[in-house]
Amino acid sequence: MRQLIDNLAFNLLLVGYPTGAGEPASPTIDSANRAAAGLLGYGAHELAGLPLERILAPSSLALCRAALTRARQRDAAECFEAELVARNHSFQALVTASSLPPRPGAGKALLLIQAIDPASDFLVMRRVIEQSASAMMVTDASGRIVYVNPRFSALSGYTEAELLGQNPNLLQSGKMSQQDYQELWRQLAVSGEWQGEICNRHKNGGEYWVAESISAIKDSQGNTTHYLAVAEDITGRRAVESALAESEQRFRQMADLSGEWLWEQDPKGYYLYSSIAVEQILGLTPAQIIGKHYTELLTAQDQQAHVGMSSSQQSFHALVNHYRHSDGHPVITESTGLPLLDAAGNLVKWRGVDRDITARMQFQNALIESEKRTRLIIESSINAIIIMDAHGIVTDWNRRAEQMFGWPADAAIGARLDDLIIPPRFRTAHRSGMRRFLASGSGPILNRQTEQVALRRDGSEFPVELSVAPLKLGDSYIFSAFIHDISGRKAAERQIRQAQVELAVAQNELKIAQQIQAGLSPAAPLKTGEFEITGVCLPADKVGGDYFDYFYRDGGRLDIVIADVSGHSIGPALFMVETRSAIRMKSSSEAAPEAVLSALNRFLFNDLNRADYFLTLFYLQVDPERRQLHFANAGHPPPLLFNRHSRQFAELDADGLIVGLRQDVRFERKTVELAAGDMVVLYTDGLVEAEHGEHGFFGLERVKSEIAANADLPPQGIIDALLDSLRRFCGTEKFADDITVLVFKWR
């Protein structure tokens, strides 16, 4: 046998090493055949007894020791690339280590050496595979892993040693069914190839996605000997696709919940998409809409007026459309459309929204009719009715005044009243009385019926009974005068008194409403050794629909509430009062924020639904003992959580519809831990949506910037700085929407 090995053309070395625990230490060359000795520049017996490190470069020696260990552990051959040191030179070689059955206390291994040209195709291909950015795995015909490249180990988290000899099902995540794997093997058996996407499990337990291609490797007889799998990491792409799908789903859900008809049309005006709101507006399902041309739904009159709209490529806003509901009644919508163009300026599709304004148009028409009736009453009155501003200029002049004084309305309006109807001898007293009233608020003939002498255009004078009433509008006044003959005096008197009573009642009711609303919010900041909280509400009108509150509940927890009823007038203010009462009542029986919101939604649903209002609300509960925040949200802008140490913001948000949309709503509860220096800023949308004509919205980023810049101030100081910045940005002290801000600081 020794002679046979000696005469082999292969380069063989017999190596001995200790077989104890741990890595092989100081392997030595037992013997070398003639071919190996000649390759290394030694005589046949010169290598015997030399340490293996004599013929291996240091880095290659470490590779050899590792290969010997793996070969011994798996009882299999291990191949590695090494730098060999011959007597007079060094060269690159491919070394295969095979373990032999050990003797007591020692082991033997054969090293097969194949010298290779560094520029050879074989070495280049080996390095291509080893350094490939694609993960590669080779299994034998039975599915046992026999090779993985470094990229595969990096992708899976397993080392080469952990993978070799294992079945690839080690990587299964459970996302693919057994039927999927059976189909994979069926395709390999039929065609020898399979391609697809697989979700694998990383060694650390996480999941990753790969686009994998598996090919069968056959021998010269066509028998499958191995399988090669090449995989590309597509985890990021799958995450993007998932996020896009989730975003699209959210868009569709918001479209369905908005109550407005959202649609898309192709460049020719045929519907590609329709939200379910079309059922409520037109009585048609989205399926009945898609594929139709937009003109098919319009009335005949609008079909002629709107033809060619889709090809214009011009956006349109507040376009009034007339439809016919499926049950026959007329429907009026206000339509806004935006053309979507590609990079070359070509129209891709239209996207728009139709808002049902049938009720609003009916109300506007009714209001116009009411104004016409009022004007008709004024014009047909048997009394002269004149309205004058604080400068004595006539602003209204009815037909009876034309007949009584001889001045047509177009000549009288814009002229001074005293020049038209007051005799010259009384004009000085009239002007003095006006100045005195504007300075002191008193006038001897105001709000009284008095007999006066009036002047006609032709210069003639005549006695009249005059009743003048001042009406406060903002910071100024207007004056309404009823001039009539004696027979009409009582009727005119009743009209004026009734007008005065109604005005006084309205003003008094508004004042009471202001007082009530002001008394509902906390009267003072709340300060403890652990935190401080305060808030402010700026109504857009005399009363508003915003509301905030903070109060203790049993157990030492602090409940914080901020809410916004749609609109900002008496109606929303009344709902705000009802909301506060309901919250105070429910908070005594419901402990968790989400439970309070669910009970509140059921309690207010019918009232909000009948009144066509809705309510957004954020409920925050502070647990000082556990240093936690528990919260639930009903469609309100997420409050900002700011840490003064990290200077980072986080938004506190949880799933939940606005109150009043559906009767049964499930609200999500979330909890975050409080850290030292944390601050929570709660606000209504009036803050971020406050607008400047040239600069757009105030926006959330400006809010964050002001909070960060003033984070060291007490809560009231932060609120003052924020509102000062808002006033400077908008250039006004009065805003279009209610604005409410609360600041909670944890010490």
Side-chain angles (χ1 to χ4, degrees):
M1 176 63 71
R2 173 68 188 179
Q3 184 179 2
L4 175 63
I5 294 175
D6 225 19
N7 292 326
L8 286 175
F10 300 119
N11 307 305
L12 291 177
L13 292 177
L14 182 62
V15 176
Y17 55 87
T19 58
E23 293 292 326
S26 302
T28 57
I29 302 172
D30 283 1
S31 61
N33 69 352
R34 290 192 185 95
L39 178 66
L40 295 170
Y42 290 92
H45 303 292
E46 287 182 295
L47 290 173
L50 294 179
L52 191 61
E53 62 189 31
R54 178 71 65 85
I55 65 168
L56 286 173
S59 59
S60 298
L61 180 63
L63 291 174
C64 184
R65 287 176 174 173
L68 288 171
T69 299
R70 290 194 295 270
R72 184 181 69 208
Q73 291 173 344
R74 293 198 299 268
D75 192 21
E78 282 288 329
C79 184
F80 61 96
E81 187 179 338
E83 180 183 358
L84 270 69
V85 180
R87 172 167 281 173
N88 298 316
H89 68 284
S90 61
F91 60 92
Q92 292 295 118
L94 192 65
V95 180
T96 302
S98 299
S99 178
L100 298 177
R103 294 179 299 171
K108 298 289 185 179
L110 281 177
L111 297 184
L112 173 63
I113 302 172
Q114 179 182 355
I116 52 177
D117 184 352
S120 68
D121 290 343
F122 173 80
L123 187 58
V124 171
M125 287 302 299
R126 176 179 175 83
R127 290 175 177 172
V128 165
I129 293 173
E130 289 290 322
Q131 299 174 22
S132 173
S134 299
M136 297 185 184
M137 174 181 68
V138 179
T139 70
D140 60 20
S142 66
R144 189 169 63 100
I145 299 173
V146 297
Y147 173 78
V148 293
N149 71 347
R151 176 57 182 157
F152 193 95
S153 293
L155 182 60
S156 66
Y158 291 95
T159 64
E160 179 185 15
E162 291 172 319
L163 289 170
L164 293 179
Q166 300 292 330
N167 191 288
N169 60 17
L170 170 72
L171 305 173
Q172 290 182 9
S173 66
K175 289 294 182 67
M176 291 181 63
S177 66
Q178 289 302 316
Q179 290 78 7
D180 293 331
Y181 287 108
Q182 290 172 2
E183 176 61 20
L184 182 156
W185 286 107
R186 189 193 67 79
Q187 289 190 28
L188 282 175
V190 172
S191 64
E193 294 182 354
W194 179 87
Q195 291 182 347
E197 296 181 357
I198 296 179
C199 181
N200 286 335
R201 188 176 303 280
H202 193 274
K203 181 181 178 180
N204 64 14
E207 294 177 350
Y208 64 95
W209 283 87
V210 293
E212 191 164 303
S213 175
I214 303 177
S215 303
I217 300 174
K218 302 180 183 294
D219 59 16
S220 58
Q221 285 76 36
N223 299 317
T224 298
T225 61
H226 295 81
Y227 292 99
L228 169 65
V230 180
E232 303 291 342
D233 186 1
I234 60 169
T235 307
R237 191 196 78 193
R238 293 285 298 213
V240 171
E241 291 173 350
S242 177
L244 288 175
E246 183 178 349
S247 176
E248 179 71 12
Q249 183 180 13
R250 282 198 303 270
F251 167 76
R252 300 300 185 192
Q253 290 175 344
M254 292 302 296
D256 292 342
L257 293 172
S258 68
E260 296 178 344
W261 175 22
L262 278 69
W263 49 260
E264 290 183 350
Q265 298 171 3
D266 68 13
K268 295 183 178 180
Y270 290 89
Y271 286 103
L272 300 171
Y273 164 76
S274 171
S275 67
I276 62 174
V278 73
E279 296 187 30
Q280 180 180 354
I281 296 175
L282 298 182
L284 300 172
T285 65
Q288 292 174 300
I289 294 293
I290 294 174
K292 289 184 179 294
H293 196 269
Y294 73 95
T295 57
E296 295 182 51
L297 306 176
L298 298 172
T299 60
Q301 181 179 357
D302 277 8
Q303 286 179 357
Q304 295 297 323
H306 297 171
V307 66
M309 182 73 71
S310 64
S311 60
S312 68
Q313 297 193 18
Q314 297 295 321
S315 61
F316 54 87
H317 305 275
L319 178 66
V320 177
N321 290 328
H322 295 81
Y323 298 96
R324 186 70 62 180
H325 193 275
S326 61
D327 64 10
H329 76 264
V331 175
I332 306 174
T333 70
E334 188 175 72
S335 183
T336 298
L338 180 68
L340 303 182
L341 309 177
D342 61 17
N346 300 314
L347 180 62
V348 177
K349 62 181 176 180
W350 285 87
R351 181 173 293 157
V353 58
D354 274 50
R355 181 182 297 106
D356 189 353
I357 60 170
T358 307
R360 192 186 81 188
M361 292 297 291
Q362 291 173 347
F363 174 77
Q364 289 179 349
N365 292 335
L367 183 60
I368 292 172
E369 290 301 318
S370 175
E371 291 175 350
K372 288 180 178 178
R373 287 193 296 271
T374 302
R375 189 76 239 172
L376 182 60
I377 291 171
I378 293 174
E379 293 299 328
S380 61
S381 173
I382 63 173
N383 303 306
I385 301 176
I386 301 172
I387 298 178
M388 175 185 69
D389 66 16
H391 302 287
I393 305 300
V394 175
T395 60
D396 205 345
W397 185 273
N398 75 341
R399 187 176 294 111
R400 180 58 180 154
E402 290 181 327
Q403 298 169 354
M404 185 179 295
F405 297 104
W407 294 96
D410 57 356
I413 295 174
R416 293 187 61 85
L417 180 68
D418 52 3
D419 292 336
L420 296 177
I421 67 171
I422 298 177
R425 63 184 180 278
F426 299 126
R427 291 174 184 171
T428 300
H430 164 75
R431 293 169 183 169
S432 176
M434 282 282 293
R435 288 193 297 270
R436 183 169 58 253
F437 171 77
L438 294 175
S440 64
S442 63
I445 68 169
L446 296 177
N447 297 320
R448 296 174 54 195
Q449 291 181 350
T450 61
E451 290 188 4
Q452 302 291 336
V453 178
L455 179 70
R456 293 191 181 95
R457 184 178 186 181
D458 60 9
S460 61
E461 298 180 2
F462 63 102
V464 295
E465 285 193 346
L466 173 67
S467 177
V468 180
L471 299 176
K472 184 75 177 289
L473 290 181
D475 296 330
S476 188
Y477 286 90
I478 64 171
F479 301 88
S480 60
F482 287 80
I483 306 172
H484 51 87
D485 61 25
I486 195 66
S487 62
R489 182 184 61 189
K490 296 296 182 183
E493 185 179 21
R494 286 194 298 270
Q495 290 178 9
I496 294 173
R497 288 180 178 175
Q498 182 63 31
Q500 293 172 332
V501 169
E502 291 177 354
L503 179 61
V505 169
Q507 291 175 335
N508 188 55
E509 289 177 346
L510 192 58
K511 184 176 181 181
I512 293 172
Q514 286 180 284
Q515 293 172 347
I516 292 174
Q517 187 171 35
L520 295 178
S521 298
L526 185 59
K527 299 181 181 180
T528 71
E530 298 172 313
F531 63 84
E532 180 178 356
I533 182 172
T534 191
V536 67
C537 179
L538 302 179
D541 209 330
K542 300 297 183 183
V543 292
D546 279 6
Y547 155 66
F548 75 90
D549 201 1
Y550 43 82
F551 52 91
Y552 278 108
R553 65 160 62 240
D554 293 340
R557 296 188 177 188
L558 176 69
D559 283 16
I560 305 171
V561 185
I562 188 169
D564 184 2
V565 182
S566 57
H568 40 77
S569 59
I570 292 293
L574 293 175
F575 271 109
M576 185 270 282
V577 174
E578 184 179 7
T579 299
R580 180 185 185 276
S581 300
I583 288 175
R584 287 294 184 124
M585 177 180 67
K586 298 300 180 184
S587 64
S588 63
S589 58
E590 303 288 354
E594 72 278 11
V596 174
L597 290 189
S598 295
L600 180 66
N601 183 68
R602 292 191 296 271
F603 180 81
L604 294 178
F605 176 80
N606 290 330
D607 290 345
L608 288 169
N609 192 42
R610 284 194 300 269
D612 200 23
Y613 287 109
F614 62 84
L615 169 71
T616 68
L617 187 144
F618 189 90
Y619 202 107
L620 177 65
Q621 192 174 85
V622 183
D623 187 344
E625 182 178 351
R626 293 183 174 83
R627 302 172 66 88
Q628 291 180 333
L629 296 176
H630 309 289
F631 58 90
N633 194 4
H636 196 80
L640 299 173
L641 175 62
F642 177 74
N643 186 276
R644 283 178 291 169
H645 300 297
S646 67
R647 314 296 292 179
Q648 297 295 316
F649 283 93
E651 293 187 359
L652 303 180
D653 200 8
D655 290 338
L657 293 177
I658 58 180
V659 175
L661 278 185
R662 289 209 312 257
Q663 191 162 11
D664 293 317
V665 178
R666 183 175 182 180
F667 295 91
E668 181 186 20
R669 174 187 179 182
K670 286 189 176 180
T671 298
V672 298
E673 302 294 329
L674 273 171
D678 275 355
M679 173 170 55
V680 180
V681 179
L682 302 90
Y683 61 92
T684 57
D685 56 10
L687 175 64
V688 296
E689 293 177 3
E691 190 174 11
H692 184 280
E694 296 179 359
H695 303 135
F697 294 115
F698 187 67
L700 188 58
E701 291 306 314
R702 287 189 177 89
V703 173
K704 290 181 178 179
S705 177
E706 287 297 326
I707 294 171
N710 298 281
D712 295 329
L713 296 178
Q716 187 61 53
I718 294 172
I719 292 175
D720 292 341
L722 185 58
L723 295 181
D724 286 344
S725 175
L726 179 67
R727 293 185 182 100
R728 290 194 302 271
F729 175 84
C730 295
T732 181
E733 293 287 328
K734 188 174 179 61
F735 304 99
D737 196 4
D738 306 328
I739 295 175
T740 298
V741 183
L742 286 88
V743 175
F744 169 88
K745 294 192 72 171
W746 181 256
R747 302 186 192 282

